[in-house]
Amino acid sequence: NRLGQKFIFSIECELDYKKALFSDEMTDSISYADIADVVVGTATSNTYNLLERLAGEILKNILYKTKLKINST
């Protein structure tokens, strides 16, 4: 951003990895590289006044890119 701050992001995803444990297929998991790309792309493509807004945009973009769903329970 224009002020040059550096951020460290800690992203947690709780997923059902049962299939991936035995299949070794990327289609049964998610790409951590894709998630990292979304975080970097979102954080560097725009400026934000609030970290909360940036976090919301990162979440929105991760959900869109990975087709993950938020568990509402």
Side-chain angles (χ1 to χ4, degrees):
N1 68 32
R2 68 177 179 256
L3 298 178
Q5 292 108 329
K6 294 182 180 181
F7 297 102
I8 296 172
F9 295 92
S10 176
I11 307 293
E12 293 182 27
C13 297
E14 292 184 22
L15 305 167
D16 184 356
Y17 290 108
K18 290 176 193 151
K19 286 175 117 180
L21 288 172
F22 301 101
S23 72
D24 199 32
E25 297 291 331
M26 280 301 299
T27 56
D28 293 332
S29 187
I30 59 169
S31 168
Y32 300 105
D34 286 350
I35 290 177
D37 289 345
V38 168
V39 172
V40 171
T42 303
T44 59
S45 67
N46 201 348
T47 57
Y48 300 92
N49 293 318
L50 299 173
L51 286 176
E52 294 84 356
R53 171 69 193 282
L54 173 57
E57 288 298 305
I58 290 170
L59 174 60
K60 179 183 77 173
N61 292 337
I62 287 173
L63 293 174
Y64 177 78
K65 173 76 175 182
T66 63
K67 307 298 187 231
L68 293 173
K69 305 279 190 257
I70 294 178
N71 187 354
S72 60
T73 58

